Amino acid sequence: MSDLPLDRSHPVAGTAAAAVPPHVTLPDRGIHDTSPAASWTDGFLTGNGEHGAVLHGSPALEKVVLNHHRLVLPNGTRTVRPPVLSGRLDSVRDKALAGDYAGASRDFAAGWSLRWTQTYHPAYELRLSSPALTTVTDYGRVTDFRTGEVGSSWTDQYGTWRRRAFVSRADNVIVHELIPAPGRTIDITLSVDTALEEVPADVAFTTRATLGNGDGYLNLRATYPSGQGAFGYEGVTRVVATGPDSSVAVSGSTIVVTGATRVILLTRLDRYESATAWNSEPLHAQLATIGTDYATLLSAHTAIHTELYDRSRLDLRVSDADRKLSVSELIARQNAHRNTIDLALLERLYDSGRYLFISSSGVLPPRLTGIWTGSWNGAWADDFTTDANINLQVAGANILDTTEVMQGYFDLILGQLSDWRTNATHPPLRRPRLPRPLPHRRRVRPHAPLRRRGLPGPLLDRRRRLAAVPDAGVLRGHG
């Protein structure tokens, strides 16, 4: 922050909002933008605490990064145990108290190596190619925090085209609907892209496209390096097209849809321990049983999600005009007035943080990046750091009345108790000698301008961390 006084008492002066396209309905609580996201880091997010999706790209080539909370890259640390170092503590303390910090660190770490935690990673990117969509005007994209729905729409000479998606808490599936302009049809090719940021060369990918009962099934299978832990993972998208002249066909490893008046995509992911787990096509079978009416699926989801979200609300008496500002406009305005808190942005951040916490809490608590990533080499492995970090991630749950979503946190902590008991047997059992506390020093960081993003979080910091062997058990049982 700047060392100049920060004015918290007055909102930033109003800014005229860019014209919202007439076909875009702004949500009561949410975010919007009037330009497509050029990369996944600017994408809009949806999730249900197990699956996540990052939507970005243009109407001609929409991209959806798919995430699953349990996808971590095995690295051989599943059975690693911390070394017994209790016999070194006295000499290490003596060196540290004498000012020989380098010697203390060297002696303490001698004979054991630094190890990475298992890195959280994306599954793959689902691509929706519509090269005929060459005329796009009045583009808008919206995230509705109260429903968990992400949508985009635009117009051309024929009218308004719409796409919308959410991740269902009721049916545990990623749902995507495509609707053409009146009198037009959906003509689209669905494919898989695995060449995401820093993908390891030793992870093998296979893409399969098949038909079943008139629907298409696009299947990505990934195999981890052998002998490191889990075997691999897969994702399946069921493609359902409607319309009297609609067609779903296979072309190599892609699904081609033509002449459809509506398209529904249903996607589910899973991770496997054995090489035979996907032979029976369990995800294909599961998706085949899910209904394909978008409104019905959304209603079942919002009955859970909206009730959770609506339990808390922050109202800073922001004007209606300010609530209509896009993410880009709010961030630009705050950066132009860095010594005054922009109340409209602050209110939006509260709404966003609550939405992202709920959407990334489920089978596990939020990771350092919630549940969303497009990189195979995220900061601190995008893992769970069980010091203050994970507790700060979930600190608002009880205060803001969302205790149900804390089950993943409880499961994570209880699942590590045996590791913690092992660690507790290693230090000496006598009272340690502690060094005198150092004087407290306050460190002030320069205030950096905010970057334009769809307010993704929590904590999208791209720095890296090496984890020592004592911390390698953090993800044991999930690797």
Side-chain angles (χ1 to χ4, degrees):
M1 296 181 63
S2 169
D3 57 1
L4 296 174
L6 197 62
D7 184 355
R8 297 171 172 82
S9 59
H10 302 288
V12 172
T15 300
V20 178
H23 55 82
V24 174
T25 301
L26 297 184
D28 175 44
R29 292 282 157 153
I31 54 177
H32 75 280
D33 214 329
T34 54
S35 60
S39 70
W40 72 267
T41 56
D42 290 323
F44 280 179
L45 314 174
T46 181
N48 71 346
E50 182 169 354
H51 289 81
V54 184
L55 289 88
H56 65 110
S58 66
L61 183 58
E62 184 175 5
K63 306 171 185 179
V64 185
V65 177
L66 301 172
N67 295 121
H68 190 282
H69 231 333
R70 296 197 184 278
L71 294 188
V72 292
L73 180 63
N75 63 358
T77 61
R78 175 178 284 188
T79 59
V80 168
R81 295 294 182 270
V84 179
L85 302 174
S86 56
R88 307 179 188 182
L89 291 181
D90 283 339
S91 63
V92 166
R93 288 194 188 104
D94 289 341
K95 287 190 175 183
L97 290 171
D100 184 9
Y101 301 116
S105 178
R106 181 182 61 252
D107 291 353
F108 189 71
W112 53 287
S113 61
L114 294 172
R115 301 291 297 271
W116 288 96
T117 52
Q118 299 171 98
T119 302
Y120 181 59
H121 64 81
Y124 56 94
E125 189 172 79
L126 178 65
R127 293 194 162 194
L128 288 63
S129 176
S130 307
L133 292 175
T134 56
T135 302
V136 174
T137 58
D138 291 335
Y139 178 89
R141 57 189 176 115
V142 173
T143 300
D144 188 332
F145 294 156
R146 295 185 64 247
T147 65
E149 191 177 31
V150 174
S152 63
S153 57
W154 64 93
T155 62
D156 62 10
Q157 65 269 36
Y158 303 107
T160 302
W161 301 69
R162 299 184 186 277
R163 294 175 182 174
R164 51 184 182 165
F166 68 96
V167 186
S168 174
R169 279 194 173 270
D171 296 291
N172 194 27
V173 65
I174 302 169
V175 185
H176 204 144
E177 182 185 52
L178 290 70
I179 304 172
R184 308 304 295 171
T185 60
I186 299 290
D187 300 289
I188 195 166
T189 299
L190 293 98
S191 62
V192 164
D193 181 26
T194 59
L196 304 185
E197 290 180 14
E198 302 194 56
V199 58
D202 53 1
V203 176
F205 299 101
T206 302
T207 303
R208 304 163 62 237
T210 58
L211 298 176
N213 296 322
D215 298 337
Y217 288 86
L218 187 60
N219 179 203
L220 182 282
R221 292 180 172 181
T223 305
Y224 293 129
S226 63
Q228 298 298 302
F231 173 76
Y233 67 92
E234 73 170 337
V236 178
T237 296
R238 178 186 171 195
V239 182
V240 183
T242 57
D245 300 316
S246 64
S247 169
V248 180
V250 169
S251 177
S253 58
T254 69
I255 298 290
V256 179
V257 176
T258 57
T261 57
R262 184 182 303 264
V263 174
I264 293 288
L265 309 178
L266 303 174
T267 302
R268 190 173 281 179
L269 310 167
D270 207 354
R271 189 171 187 259
Y272 302 124
E273 293 292 314
S274 73
T276 60
W278 56 33
N279 289 353
S280 62
E281 298 188 334
L283 296 185
H284 292 71
Q286 294 166 23
L287 291 173
T289 66
I290 297 176
T292 59
D293 182 74
Y294 185 92
T296 300
L297 293 168
L298 181 62
S299 177
H301 163 71
T302 55
I304 303 170
H305 176 96
T306 305
E307 195 278 328
L308 279 170
Y309 190 83
D310 282 350
R311 292 180 190 174
S312 172
R313 185 183 182 99
L314 177 65
D315 190 338
L316 297 179
R317 298 182 179 179
V318 173
S319 69
D320 289 341
D322 277 5
R323 288 201 175 118
K324 291 180 180 179
L325 292 175
S326 70
V327 174
S328 301
E329 291 166 322
L330 284 174
I331 292 177
R333 191 173 73 173
Q334 180 66 87
N335 281 331
H337 301 84
R338 290 165 56 184
N339 295 319
T340 302
I341 292 176
D342 190 316
L343 294 184
L345 179 60
L346 182 60
E347 188 180 88
R348 198 81 60 90
L349 286 168
Y350 175 89
D351 294 341
S352 177
R354 184 171 177 77
Y355 168 71
L356 297 168
F357 171 70
I358 291 171
S359 300
S360 59
S361 298
V363 296
L364 290 167
R367 296 175 175 275
L368 293 176
T369 55
I371 199 174
W372 304 277
T373 184
S375 173
W376 282 72
N377 193 19
W380 292 289
D382 284 350
D383 61 13
F384 302 102
T385 304
T386 49
D387 51 17
N389 282 5
I390 185 63
N391 293 293
L392 288 172
Q393 295 279 87
V394 303
N398 289 331
I399 299 172
L400 302 178
D401 195 21
T402 53
T403 53
E404 296 96 322
V405 299
M406 287 292 288
Q407 187 60 50
Y409 172 80
F410 301 146
D411 291 343
L412 177 71
I413 299 302
L414 293 174
Q416 295 182 61
L417 287 183
S418 61
D419 288 332
W420 293 356
R421 291 189 180 103
T422 298
N423 295 349
T425 64
H426 292 171
L429 297 180
R430 64 176 183 273
R431 185 181 182 85
R433 289 182 291 144
L434 299 176
R436 184 172 58 188
L438 294 173
H440 175 69
R441 294 181 181 178
R442 182 181 180 188
R443 183 173 62 180
V444 179
R445 296 182 177 180
H447 181 62
L450 292 165
R451 289 183 292 171
R452 176 182 176 274
R453 288 194 177 189
L455 303 182
L459 304 181
L460 258 180
D461 185 342
R462 308 315 300 170
R463 291 171 292 179
R464 297 176 180 174
R465 175 175 71 96
L466 280 175
V469 167
D471 291 329
V474 167
L475 288 178
R476 194 174 71 83
H478 305 294

